[in-house]
Amino acid sequence: MTANKQSYATKLALIFFLTWGLIFLDRSLLSILLPLMIDDIALTNTQIGNINMWQTLCYAIASPVFAIMSDRLGKKKPLLIGAIVMTGLLSLATMFATSFASLAVIRALLGAAEGIILPIMISIIAVASESGKFGRNVGIVYAGAAVIASLIGPVVATQLGTAFGWQNTYFMISIPSLLCGLLI
């Protein structure tokens, strides 16, 4: 029984590694693709800062609010899947932004959707992990952001952006996130 539980927890951590890496890439994509977007959406430095601020603020607010809600409702998986799908859809919606206002609203909502994901993943990992393996499993999940979003993602996203344009890059990057929602 213990081997089965740890095997499940390890598989879950690996799925969450992939998912969190892709979700964090969705979060970082604005900064990565901004040089390609700047000609199509006239943005000042202040507006760029405001978009990032609203995305981060919504992330910070949604994180504890929905973590508390998931604890009270006991419905972690549906909230997690919904947040992952919403993040993918909002990343996809970014390709349709044509102004500061539309980009700010989309990215703020994206921040709120992303804020839900990590706390719920960690609480699911906590329940699934065998004693003494929780830290390892959480480390695997967190490594997804480093490997996928910070190491591989910027190279892939800039190459896709240069070859296919920033709008198509948002489309291509959002699809794996949506697939992770289905995988979970």
Side-chain angles (χ1 to χ4, degrees):
M1 185 70 170
T2 303
N4 285 341
K5 182 176 182 178
Q6 189 51 46
S7 174
Y8 171 74
T10 301
K11 288 175 188 171
L12 193 60
L14 291 171
I15 291 168
F16 286 175
F17 164 91
L18 177 64
T19 304
W20 184 239
L22 291 167
I23 294 299
F24 207 81
L25 178 58
D26 284 341
R27 178 173 173 68
S28 307
L29 208 51
L30 180 67
S31 297
I32 296 166
L33 294 178
L34 200 54
L36 300 173
M37 297 171 67
I38 208 80
D39 290 336
D40 293 337
I41 303 175
L43 298 170
T44 66
N45 288 337
T46 301
Q47 288 172 325
I48 293 166
N50 280 327
I51 291 167
N52 282 318
M53 184 260 320
W54 283 109
Q55 181 175 330
T56 302
L57 181 63
C58 289
Y59 181 102
I61 292 169
S63 200
V65 168
F66 281 91
I68 291 166
M69 182 187 302
S70 77
D71 285 342
R72 289 190 178 158
L73 295 175
K75 303 284 186 188
K76 295 181 186 314
K77 192 174 177 182
L79 280 173
L80 178 62
I81 293 168
I84 292 167
V85 169
M86 185 60 64
T87 297
L89 292 173
L90 287 163
S91 183
L92 181 67
T94 305
M95 71 186 276
F96 300 109
T98 58
S99 67
F100 163 71
S102 62
L103 189 58
V105 169
I106 291 166
R107 298 307 288 189
L109 292 171
L110 181 104
E114 288 171 335
I116 299 167
I117 295 168
L118 188 61
I120 295 176
M121 281 183 172
I122 300 306
S123 67
I124 291 171
I125 287 286
V127 171
S129 295
E130 184 178 284
S131 179
K133 302 288 185 178
F134 173 67
R136 181 199 73 157
N137 292 335
V138 169
I140 291 169
V141 174
Y142 269 94
V147 172
I148 295 170
S150 299
L151 186 65
I152 299 168
V155 174
V156 171
T158 54
Q159 297 303 308
L160 290 172
T162 302
F164 302 106
W166 67 268
Q167 292 98 337
N168 291 324
T169 302
Y170 275 103
F171 174 77
M172 289 182 265
I173 297 292
S174 67
I175 298 303
S177 296
L178 290 167
L179 292 175
C180 282
L182 294 175
L183 181 62
I184 292 171

